[in-house]
Amino acid sequence: MVEAHIRGVGNALAAGWRVLERAGSGRCAALDAVEEAVVVMEDDETFDAGRGSFLNRDGRVQLDALIMDGATLRAGGVGCVERLRNPVRAARKILSESPHLYFVGEGAERFAAQHGLPLCKNEDLIIPREVERLRQYQADANSHGNELFAPAADDETISHDTVGAVALDCNGNIAAATSTGGTLNKAPGRLGDSSLIGCGCYADNQSAAASTTGWGEPIMKLVLAKWTIDRIAAGNLPEWAAQEAVNYLKQRVNGHGGIIVLDPEGHFGIAHNTPRMAWAYKTVKQQESGVERSG
Ligand code: ASP
């Protein structure tokens, strides 16, 4: 699905860029841009976010998302939601309209509905490809005689397809957003790194914005997004910090994943220690995308 991934990140990039181009000064353009970019990838069945996500052990989709504003450090997160096509939209509503920072499950869905977001059925988020993927995974596990067996959870060729975006606007503000269906065959109620502040996502105008993808449990142990941003606050460039982050993830806890990082001067880093990670970036001068590059 390499082509579909490149097309998908390209469409997300275009949506985010449109917001940045349109924005008059004063609007939260970076925040709007990461939200729109992530919505495009949630709507794209290629990725593990929104419709088309990996299924949990019960065959249901459970989604997590976080969005964060580097200007104010306001953030909004949702965990284990089952009836939202675009959990990042609910996260944004929390950021903008709630005194709280994070909602889970039914309470998150109720908050979203009260703030004008439509609720769907869980079945609306499930696609045949993922039903078959779960069936195959559980059949493999059963052939090992243990239905809780997780075949090679530390195998970096197992797909992790969380989506994320970082943006810098003309006011010098940065923002980040991350959205996921989590890991295949996860236990119901399991929450990964993606929607946890500092783990799967972080943004601070005084240092950088970051979004991670990959095997969530190791990333959580290292609070990896914030770890990376702290390196930049200490004077390092995002390109170096991103590569250091995935090296640290591997060396310290045998984790695998990837990260995108952007600072308020427009320096950025893209790194992964998985065989592939689809990425795309655009500046006023150039645009590039790929699946292989690291560092
Ligand atoms: N990071 C996600 C999680 O562990 C999975 C992924 O990146 O696909 O929930």
PDB file of all heavy atoms in Angstrom, residues 111-145:
ATOM      1  N   PHE A 111     -19.627  14.621  24.953  1.00  0.00           N
ATOM      2  CA  PHE A 111     -19.098  15.985  24.803  1.00  0.00           C
ATOM      3  C   PHE A 111     -19.106  16.383  23.322  1.00  0.00           C
ATOM      4  O   PHE A 111     -19.525  17.482  22.955  1.00  0.00           O
ATOM      5  CB  PHE A 111     -17.664  16.075  25.359  1.00  0.00           C
ATOM      6  CG  PHE A 111     -17.021  17.408  25.138  1.00  0.00           C
ATOM      7  CD1 PHE A 111     -17.105  18.404  26.112  1.00  0.00           C
ATOM      8  CD2 PHE A 111     -16.355  17.698  23.945  1.00  0.00           C
ATOM      9  CE1 PHE A 111     -16.546  19.659  25.893  1.00  0.00           C
ATOM     10  CE2 PHE A 111     -15.799  18.949  23.722  1.00  0.00           C
ATOM     11  CZ  PHE A 111     -15.886  19.930  24.703  1.00  0.00           C
ATOM     12  N   ALA A 112     -18.644  15.469  22.470  1.00  0.00           N
ATOM     13  CA  ALA A 112     -18.578  15.772  21.034  1.00  0.00           C
ATOM     14  C   ALA A 112     -19.976  16.061  20.482  1.00  0.00           C
ATOM     15  O   ALA A 112     -20.172  17.045  19.744  1.00  0.00           O
ATOM     16  CB  ALA A 112     -17.936  14.614  20.286  1.00  0.00           C
ATOM     17  N   ALA A 113     -20.936  15.215  20.843  1.00  0.00           N
ATOM     18  CA  ALA A 113     -22.297  15.398  20.332  1.00  0.00           C
ATOM     19  C   ALA A 113     -22.867  16.727  20.822  1.00  0.00           C
ATOM     20  O   ALA A 113     -23.494  17.471  20.058  1.00  0.00           O
ATOM     21  CB  ALA A 113     -23.178  14.235  20.774  1.00  0.00           C
ATOM     22  N   GLN A 114     -22.610  17.047  22.084  1.00  0.00           N
ATOM     23  CA  GLN A 114     -23.120  18.313  22.636  1.00  0.00           C
ATOM     24  C   GLN A 114     -22.482  19.519  21.951  1.00  0.00           C
ATOM     25  O   GLN A 114     -23.022  20.616  22.002  1.00  0.00           O
ATOM     26  CB  GLN A 114     -22.850  18.379  24.140  1.00  0.00           C
ATOM     27  CG  GLN A 114     -23.807  17.528  24.953  1.00  0.00           C
ATOM     28  CD  GLN A 114     -23.325  17.307  26.394  1.00  0.00           C
ATOM     29  OE1 GLN A 114     -22.198  17.654  26.744  1.00  0.00           O
ATOM     30  NE2 GLN A 114     -24.176  16.705  27.203  1.00  0.00           N
ATOM     31  N   HIS A 115     -21.331  19.303  21.344  1.00  0.00           N
ATOM     32  CA  HIS A 115     -20.663  20.415  20.666  1.00  0.00           C
ATOM     33  C   HIS A 115     -20.776  20.309  19.151  1.00  0.00           C
ATOM     34  O   HIS A 115     -19.947  20.818  18.397  1.00  0.00           O
ATOM     35  CB  HIS A 115     -19.200  20.507  21.125  1.00  0.00           C
ATOM     36  CG  HIS A 115     -19.101  20.996  22.532  1.00  0.00           C
ATOM     37  ND1 HIS A 115     -19.324  20.176  23.616  1.00  0.00           N
ATOM     38  CD2 HIS A 115     -18.877  22.234  23.037  1.00  0.00           C
ATOM     39  CE1 HIS A 115     -19.216  20.896  24.735  1.00  0.00           C
ATOM     40  NE2 HIS A 115     -18.945  22.134  24.403  1.00  0.00           N
ATOM     41  N   GLY A 116     -21.805  19.595  18.714  1.00  0.00           N
ATOM     42  CA  GLY A 116     -22.194  19.643  17.307  1.00  0.00           C
ATOM     43  C   GLY A 116     -21.561  18.626  16.390  1.00  0.00           C
ATOM     44  O   GLY A 116     -21.737  18.689  15.176  1.00  0.00           O
ATOM     45  N   LEU A 117     -20.814  17.666  16.942  1.00  0.00           N
ATOM     46  CA  LEU A 117     -20.211  16.651  16.068  1.00  0.00           C
ATOM     47  C   LEU A 117     -21.145  15.452  15.948  1.00  0.00           C
ATOM     48  O   LEU A 117     -21.693  14.983  16.944  1.00  0.00           O
ATOM     49  CB  LEU A 117     -18.858  16.202  16.628  1.00  0.00           C
ATOM     50  CG  LEU A 117     -17.780  17.279  16.695  1.00  0.00           C
ATOM     51  CD1 LEU A 117     -16.498  16.709  17.288  1.00  0.00           C
ATOM     52  CD2 LEU A 117     -17.494  17.847  15.312  1.00  0.00           C
ATOM     53  N   PRO A 118     -21.325  14.934  14.739  1.00  0.00           N
ATOM     54  CA  PRO A 118     -22.223  13.791  14.558  1.00  0.00           C
ATOM     55  C   PRO A 118     -21.619  12.505  15.128  1.00  0.00           C
ATOM     56  O   PRO A 118     -20.406  12.291  15.035  1.00  0.00           O
ATOM     57  CB  PRO A 118     -22.355  13.682  13.033  1.00  0.00           C
ATOM     58  CG  PRO A 118     -21.136  14.345  12.497  1.00  0.00           C
ATOM     59  CD  PRO A 118     -20.707  15.380  13.497  1.00  0.00           C
ATOM     60  N   LEU A 119     -22.460  11.674  15.720  1.00  0.00           N
ATOM     61  CA  LEU A 119     -22.000  10.355  16.168  1.00  0.00           C
ATOM     62  C   LEU A 119     -22.361   9.336  15.103  1.00  0.00           C
ATOM     63  O   LEU A 119     -23.411   9.427  14.474  1.00  0.00           O
ATOM     64  CB  LEU A 119     -22.664   9.974  17.494  1.00  0.00           C
ATOM     65  CG  LEU A 119     -22.345  10.860  18.702  1.00  0.00           C
ATOM     66  CD1 LEU A 119     -23.009  10.316  19.969  1.00  0.00           C
ATOM     67  CD2 LEU A 119     -20.836  10.986  18.908  1.00  0.00           C
ATOM     68  N   CYS A 120     -21.490   8.351  14.903  1.00  0.00           N
ATOM     69  CA  CYS A 120     -21.776   7.284  13.945  1.00  0.00           C
ATOM     70  C   CYS A 120     -21.904   5.966  14.703  1.00  0.00           C
ATOM     71  O   CYS A 120     -21.744   5.925  15.916  1.00  0.00           O
ATOM     72  CB  CYS A 120     -20.664   7.206  12.897  1.00  0.00           C
ATOM     73  SG  CYS A 120     -19.064   6.724  13.582  1.00  0.00           S
ATOM     74  N   LYS A 121     -22.171   4.898  13.975  1.00  0.00           N
ATOM     75  CA  LYS A 121     -22.137   3.562  14.589  1.00  0.00           C
ATOM     76  C   LYS A 121     -20.702   3.040  14.499  1.00  0.00           C
ATOM     77  O   LYS A 121     -19.981   3.372  13.555  1.00  0.00           O
ATOM     78  CB  LYS A 121     -23.063   2.604  13.826  1.00  0.00           C
ATOM     79  CG  LYS A 121     -24.531   2.974  13.882  1.00  0.00           C
ATOM     80  CD  LYS A 121     -25.374   1.727  13.755  1.00  0.00           C
ATOM     81  CE  LYS A 121     -26.164   1.537  12.512  1.00  0.00           C
ATOM     82  NZ  LYS A 121     -26.483   2.440  11.511  1.00  0.00           N
ATOM     83  N   ASN A 122     -20.326   2.167  15.424  1.00  0.00           N
ATOM     84  CA  ASN A 122     -18.978   1.602  15.352  1.00  0.00           C
ATOM     85  C   ASN A 122     -18.788   0.848  14.033  1.00  0.00           C
ATOM     86  O   ASN A 122     -17.706   0.918  13.425  1.00  0.00           O
ATOM     87  CB  ASN A 122     -18.714   0.695  16.560  1.00  0.00           C
ATOM     88  CG  ASN A 122     -17.235   0.401  16.723  1.00  0.00           C
ATOM     89  OD1 ASN A 122     -16.771  -0.689  16.452  1.00  0.00           O
ATOM     90  ND2 ASN A 122     -16.469   1.405  17.100  1.00  0.00           N
ATOM     91  N   GLU A 123     -19.851   0.186  13.571  1.00  0.00           N
ATOM     92  CA  GLU A 123     -19.740  -0.568  12.308  1.00  0.00           C
ATOM     93  C   GLU A 123     -19.381   0.338  11.126  1.00  0.00           C
ATOM     94  O   GLU A 123     -18.790  -0.117  10.141  1.00  0.00           O
ATOM     95  CB  GLU A 123     -21.057  -1.298  11.966  1.00  0.00           C
ATOM     96  CG  GLU A 123     -21.533  -2.286  12.996  1.00  0.00           C
ATOM     97  CD  GLU A 123     -22.356  -1.624  14.104  1.00  0.00           C
ATOM     98  OE1 GLU A 123     -23.544  -1.410  13.885  1.00  0.00           O
ATOM     99  OE2 GLU A 123     -21.793  -1.323  15.176  1.00  0.00           O
ATOM    100  N   ASP A 124     -19.756   1.611  11.219  1.00  0.00           N
ATOM    101  CA  ASP A 124     -19.432   2.540  10.128  1.00  0.00           C
ATOM    102  C   ASP A 124     -17.925   2.747   9.991  1.00  0.00           C
ATOM    103  O   ASP A 124     -17.449   3.260   8.973  1.00  0.00           O
ATOM    104  CB  ASP A 124     -20.083   3.909  10.367  1.00  0.00           C
ATOM    105  CG  ASP A 124     -21.604   3.833  10.374  1.00  0.00           C
ATOM    106  OD1 ASP A 124     -22.147   2.875   9.795  1.00  0.00           O
ATOM    107  OD2 ASP A 124     -22.234   4.730  10.978  1.00  0.00           O
ATOM    108  N   LEU A 125     -17.175   2.399  11.035  1.00  0.00           N
ATOM    109  CA  LEU A 125     -15.726   2.625  11.029  1.00  0.00           C
ATOM    110  C   LEU A 125     -14.949   1.369  10.611  1.00  0.00           C
ATOM    111  O   LEU A 125     -13.729   1.400  10.456  1.00  0.00           O
ATOM    112  CB  LEU A 125     -15.260   3.057  12.425  1.00  0.00           C
ATOM    113  CG  LEU A 125     -15.946   4.308  13.007  1.00  0.00           C
ATOM    114  CD1 LEU A 125     -15.510   4.535  14.450  1.00  0.00           C
ATOM    115  CD2 LEU A 125     -15.632   5.539  12.159  1.00  0.00           C
ATOM    116  N   ILE A 126     -15.681   0.256  10.461  1.00  0.00           N
ATOM    117  CA  ILE A 126     -15.039  -1.044  10.205  1.00  0.00           C
ATOM    118  C   ILE A 126     -15.061  -1.368   8.711  1.00  0.00           C
ATOM    119  O   ILE A 126     -16.107  -1.249   8.070  1.00  0.00           O
ATOM    120  CB  ILE A 126     -15.774  -2.167  10.988  1.00  0.00           C
ATOM    121  CG1 ILE A 126     -15.683  -1.882  12.498  1.00  0.00           C
ATOM    122  CG2 ILE A 126     -15.212  -3.536  10.651  1.00  0.00           C
ATOM    123  CD1 ILE A 126     -16.526  -2.829  13.354  1.00  0.00           C
ATOM    124  N   ILE A 127     -13.926  -1.788   8.167  1.00  0.00           N
ATOM    125  CA  ILE A 127     -13.888  -2.169   6.747  1.00  0.00           C
ATOM    126  C   ILE A 127     -13.445  -3.635   6.625  1.00  0.00           C
ATOM    127  O   ILE A 127     -12.759  -4.155   7.505  1.00  0.00           O
ATOM    128  CB  ILE A 127     -12.968  -1.242   5.920  1.00  0.00           C
ATOM    129  CG1 ILE A 127     -11.507  -1.346   6.391  1.00  0.00           C
ATOM    130  CG2 ILE A 127     -13.434   0.200   5.984  1.00  0.00           C
ATOM    131  CD1 ILE A 127     -10.523  -0.646   5.455  1.00  0.00           C
ATOM    132  N   PRO A 128     -13.837  -4.298   5.524  1.00  0.00           N
ATOM    133  CA  PRO A 128     -13.539  -5.733   5.364  1.00  0.00           C
ATOM    134  C   PRO A 128     -12.043  -6.055   5.485  1.00  0.00           C
ATOM    135  O   PRO A 128     -11.671  -7.084   6.055  1.00  0.00           O
ATOM    136  CB  PRO A 128     -14.057  -6.045   3.959  1.00  0.00           C
ATOM    137  CG  PRO A 128     -15.105  -5.010   3.700  1.00  0.00           C
ATOM    138  CD  PRO A 128     -14.690  -3.782   4.440  1.00  0.00           C
ATOM    139  N   ARG A 129     -11.178  -5.202   4.963  1.00  0.00           N
ATOM    140  CA  ARG A 129      -9.726  -5.462   5.059  1.00  0.00           C
ATOM    141  C   ARG A 129      -9.302  -5.692   6.502  1.00  0.00           C
ATOM    142  O   ARG A 129      -8.499  -6.573   6.801  1.00  0.00           O
ATOM    143  CB  ARG A 129      -8.975  -4.253   4.486  1.00  0.00           C
ATOM    144  CG  ARG A 129      -7.458  -4.374   4.513  1.00  0.00           C
ATOM    145  CD  ARG A 129      -6.782  -3.043   4.217  1.00  0.00           C
ATOM    146  NE  ARG A 129      -6.900  -2.109   5.312  1.00  0.00           N
ATOM    147  CZ  ARG A 129      -6.948  -0.784   5.184  1.00  0.00           C
ATOM    148  NH1 ARG A 129      -6.896  -0.229   3.987  1.00  0.00           N
ATOM    149  NH2 ARG A 129      -7.071   0.005   6.236  1.00  0.00           N
ATOM    150  N   GLU A 130      -9.869  -4.901   7.409  1.00  0.00           N
ATOM    151  CA  GLU A 130      -9.465  -5.011   8.806  1.00  0.00           C
ATOM    152  C   GLU A 130     -10.124  -6.186   9.512  1.00  0.00           C
ATOM    153  O   GLU A 130      -9.549  -6.762  10.439  1.00  0.00           O
ATOM    154  CB  GLU A 130      -9.736  -3.693   9.533  1.00  0.00           C
ATOM    155  CG  GLU A 130      -8.886  -2.554   9.013  1.00  0.00           C
ATOM    156  CD  GLU A 130      -7.385  -2.880   8.998  1.00  0.00           C
ATOM    157  OE1 GLU A 130      -6.904  -3.540   9.939  1.00  0.00           O
ATOM    158  OE2 GLU A 130      -6.696  -2.503   8.033  1.00  0.00           O
ATOM    159  N   VAL A 131     -11.322  -6.557   9.084  1.00  0.00           N
ATOM    160  CA  VAL A 131     -11.961  -7.762   9.629  1.00  0.00           C
ATOM    161  C   VAL A 131     -11.089  -8.966   9.291  1.00  0.00           C
ATOM    162  O   VAL A 131     -10.799  -9.820  10.135  1.00  0.00           O
ATOM    163  CB  VAL A 131     -13.395  -7.926   9.060  1.00  0.00           C
ATOM    164  CG1 VAL A 131     -14.000  -9.254   9.493  1.00  0.00           C
ATOM    165  CG2 VAL A 131     -14.269  -6.751   9.497  1.00  0.00           C
ATOM    166  N   GLU A 132     -10.614  -9.001   8.063  1.00  0.00           N
ATOM    167  CA  GLU A 132      -9.767 -10.112   7.614  1.00  0.00           C
ATOM    168  C   GLU A 132      -8.406 -10.081   8.322  1.00  0.00           C
ATOM    169  O   GLU A 132      -7.878 -11.126   8.720  1.00  0.00           O
ATOM    170  CB  GLU A 132      -9.589 -10.032   6.087  1.00  0.00           C
ATOM    171  CG  GLU A 132      -8.623 -11.026   5.495  1.00  0.00           C
ATOM    172  CD  GLU A 132      -8.888 -12.487   5.900  1.00  0.00           C
ATOM    173  OE1 GLU A 132     -10.035 -12.819   6.243  1.00  0.00           O
ATOM    174  OE2 GLU A 132      -7.920 -13.284   5.899  1.00  0.00           O
ATOM    175  N   ARG A 133      -7.843  -8.889   8.518  1.00  0.00           N
ATOM    176  CA  ARG A 133      -6.553  -8.783   9.189  1.00  0.00           C
ATOM    177  C   ARG A 133      -6.653  -9.307  10.636  1.00  0.00           C
ATOM    178  O   ARG A 133      -5.781 -10.036  11.100  1.00  0.00           O
ATOM    179  CB  ARG A 133      -6.084  -7.322   9.206  1.00  0.00           C
ATOM    180  CG  ARG A 133      -4.598  -7.179   9.541  1.00  0.00           C
ATOM    181  CD  ARG A 133      -4.241  -5.775   9.983  1.00  0.00           C
ATOM    182  NE  ARG A 133      -4.492  -4.719   9.031  1.00  0.00           N
ATOM    183  CZ  ARG A 133      -3.585  -4.273   8.143  1.00  0.00           C
ATOM    184  NH1 ARG A 133      -2.402  -4.827   8.072  1.00  0.00           N
ATOM    185  NH2 ARG A 133      -3.910  -3.287   7.332  1.00  0.00           N
ATOM    186  N   LEU A 134      -7.727  -8.952  11.304  1.00  0.00           N
ATOM    187  CA  LEU A 134      -7.907  -9.410  12.692  1.00  0.00           C
ATOM    188  C   LEU A 134      -8.122 -10.930  12.727  1.00  0.00           C
ATOM    189  O   LEU A 134      -7.564 -11.630  13.574  1.00  0.00           O
ATOM    190  CB  LEU A 134      -9.097  -8.700  13.348  1.00  0.00           C
ATOM    191  CG  LEU A 134      -9.348  -9.093  14.802  1.00  0.00           C
ATOM    192  CD1 LEU A 134      -8.242  -8.562  15.714  1.00  0.00           C
ATOM    193  CD2 LEU A 134     -10.711  -8.584  15.289  1.00  0.00           C
ATOM    194  N   ARG A 135      -8.929 -11.415  11.771  1.00  0.00           N
ATOM    195  CA  ARG A 135      -9.202 -12.851  11.727  1.00  0.00           C
ATOM    196  C   ARG A 135      -7.888 -13.627  11.564  1.00  0.00           C
ATOM    197  O   ARG A 135      -7.628 -14.597  12.271  1.00  0.00           O
ATOM    198  CB  ARG A 135     -10.164 -13.168  10.569  1.00  0.00           C
ATOM    199  CG  ARG A 135     -10.749 -14.557  10.594  1.00  0.00           C
ATOM    200  CD  ARG A 135     -11.265 -15.000   9.240  1.00  0.00           C
ATOM    201  NE  ARG A 135     -10.223 -15.039   8.202  1.00  0.00           N
ATOM    202  CZ  ARG A 135      -9.249 -15.933   8.117  1.00  0.00           C
ATOM    203  NH1 ARG A 135      -9.161 -16.905   9.016  1.00  0.00           N
ATOM    204  NH2 ARG A 135      -8.340 -15.869   7.157  1.00  0.00           N
ATOM    205  N   GLN A 136      -7.056 -13.163  10.662  1.00  0.00           N
ATOM    206  CA  GLN A 136      -5.778 -13.820  10.404  1.00  0.00           C
ATOM    207  C   GLN A 136      -4.875 -13.775  11.640  1.00  0.00           C
ATOM    208  O   GLN A 136      -4.255 -14.761  12.028  1.00  0.00           O
ATOM    209  CB  GLN A 136      -5.093 -13.113   9.227  1.00  0.00           C
ATOM    210  CG  GLN A 136      -3.835 -13.789   8.713  1.00  0.00           C
ATOM    211  CD  GLN A 136      -4.121 -15.193   8.192  1.00  0.00           C
ATOM    212  OE1 GLN A 136      -5.008 -15.359   7.360  1.00  0.00           O
ATOM    213  NE2 GLN A 136      -3.411 -16.188   8.703  1.00  0.00           N
ATOM    214  N   TYR A 137      -4.838 -12.621  12.267  1.00  0.00           N
ATOM    215  CA  TYR A 137      -3.988 -12.426  13.454  1.00  0.00           C
ATOM    216  C   TYR A 137      -4.432 -13.369  14.580  1.00  0.00           C
ATOM    217  O   TYR A 137      -3.614 -14.034  15.222  1.00  0.00           O
ATOM    218  CB  TYR A 137      -4.098 -10.969  13.901  1.00  0.00           C
ATOM    219  CG  TYR A 137      -3.188 -10.568  15.041  1.00  0.00           C
ATOM    220  CD1 TYR A 137      -1.992  -9.887  14.787  1.00  0.00           C
ATOM    221  CD2 TYR A 137      -3.523 -10.824  16.361  1.00  0.00           C
ATOM    222  CE1 TYR A 137      -1.166  -9.493  15.825  1.00  0.00           C
ATOM    223  CE2 TYR A 137      -2.698 -10.443  17.404  1.00  0.00           C
ATOM    224  CZ  TYR A 137      -1.520  -9.776  17.125  1.00  0.00           C
ATOM    225  OH  TYR A 137      -0.699  -9.392  18.157  1.00  0.00           O
ATOM    226  N   GLN A 138      -5.757 -13.423  14.789  1.00  0.00           N
ATOM    227  CA  GLN A 138      -6.263 -14.261  15.881  1.00  0.00           C
ATOM    228  C   GLN A 138      -6.104 -15.744  15.558  1.00  0.00           C
ATOM    229  O   GLN A 138      -5.860 -16.551  16.452  1.00  0.00           O
ATOM    230  CB  GLN A 138      -7.717 -13.889  16.196  1.00  0.00           C
ATOM    231  CG  GLN A 138      -7.813 -12.471  16.778  1.00  0.00           C
ATOM    232  CD  GLN A 138      -9.209 -12.066  17.220  1.00  0.00           C
ATOM    233  OE1 GLN A 138     -10.206 -12.619  16.738  1.00  0.00           O
ATOM    234  NE2 GLN A 138      -9.295 -11.089  18.118  1.00  0.00           N
ATOM    235  N   ALA A 139      -6.211 -16.091  14.271  1.00  0.00           N
ATOM    236  CA  ALA A 139      -5.982 -17.485  13.864  1.00  0.00           C
ATOM    237  C   ALA A 139      -4.537 -17.871  14.150  1.00  0.00           C
ATOM    238  O   ALA A 139      -4.248 -18.955  14.678  1.00  0.00           O
ATOM    239  CB  ALA A 139      -6.314 -17.674  12.384  1.00  0.00           C
ATOM    240  N   ASP A 140      -3.586 -16.973  13.846  1.00  0.00           N
ATOM    241  CA  ASP A 140      -2.168 -17.236  14.127  1.00  0.00           C
ATOM    242  C   ASP A 140      -1.944 -17.401  15.624  1.00  0.00           C
ATOM    243  O   ASP A 140      -1.222 -18.293  16.070  1.00  0.00           O
ATOM    244  CB  ASP A 140      -1.284 -16.084  13.624  1.00  0.00           C
ATOM    245  CG  ASP A 140      -1.216 -16.036  12.111  1.00  0.00           C
ATOM    246  OD1 ASP A 140      -1.698 -16.997  11.473  1.00  0.00           O
ATOM    247  OD2 ASP A 140      -0.705 -15.041  11.579  1.00  0.00           O
ATOM    248  N   ALA A 141      -2.580 -16.518  16.390  1.00  0.00           N
ATOM    249  CA  ALA A 141      -2.417 -16.573  17.843  1.00  0.00           C
ATOM    250  C   ALA A 141      -2.973 -17.886  18.386  1.00  0.00           C
ATOM    251  O   ALA A 141      -2.346 -18.544  19.228  1.00  0.00           O
ATOM    252  CB  ALA A 141      -3.122 -15.388  18.495  1.00  0.00           C
ATOM    253  N   ASN A 142      -4.143 -18.283  17.888  1.00  0.00           N
ATOM    254  CA  ASN A 142      -4.764 -19.523  18.358  1.00  0.00           C
ATOM    255  C   ASN A 142      -3.922 -20.739  18.010  1.00  0.00           C
ATOM    256  O   ASN A 142      -3.858 -21.709  18.759  1.00  0.00           O
ATOM    257  CB  ASN A 142      -6.173 -19.683  17.767  1.00  0.00           C
ATOM    258  CG  ASN A 142      -7.166 -18.809  18.520  1.00  0.00           C
ATOM    259  OD1 ASN A 142      -6.961 -18.494  19.685  1.00  0.00           O
ATOM    260  ND2 ASN A 142      -8.217 -18.399  17.843  1.00  0.00           N
ATOM    261  N   SER A 143      -3.245 -20.650  16.846  1.00  0.00           N
ATOM    262  CA  SER A 143      -2.410 -21.793  16.463  1.00  0.00           C
ATOM    263  C   SER A 143      -1.231 -21.935  17.420  1.00  0.00           C
ATOM    264  O   SER A 143      -0.596 -22.976  17.492  1.00  0.00           O
ATOM    265  CB  SER A 143      -1.945 -21.660  15.013  1.00  0.00           C
ATOM    266  OG  SER A 143      -0.979 -20.645  14.932  1.00  0.00           O
ATOM    267  N   HIS A 144      -0.950 -20.867  18.201  1.00  0.00           N
ATOM    268  CA  HIS A 144       0.052 -20.961  19.259  1.00  0.00           C
ATOM    269  C   HIS A 144      -0.596 -21.376  20.574  1.00  0.00           C
ATOM    270  O   HIS A 144       0.063 -21.370  21.618  1.00  0.00           O
ATOM    271  CB  HIS A 144       0.771 -19.622  19.448  1.00  0.00           C
ATOM    272  CG  HIS A 144       1.738 -19.312  18.351  1.00  0.00           C
ATOM    273  ND1 HIS A 144       1.341 -18.822  17.130  1.00  0.00           N
ATOM    274  CD2 HIS A 144       3.080 -19.443  18.278  1.00  0.00           C
ATOM    275  CE1 HIS A 144       2.410 -18.655  16.360  1.00  0.00           C
ATOM    276  NE2 HIS A 144       3.476 -19.028  17.035  1.00  0.00           N
ATOM    277  N   GLY A 145      -1.912 -21.641  20.520  1.00  0.00           N
ATOM    278  CA  GLY A 145      -2.612 -22.150  21.701  1.00  0.00           C
ATOM    279  C   GLY A 145      -2.884 -21.102  22.762  1.00  0.00           C
ATOM    280  O   GLY A 145      -3.130 -21.435  23.913  1.00  0.00           O
TER     281      GLY A 145
END
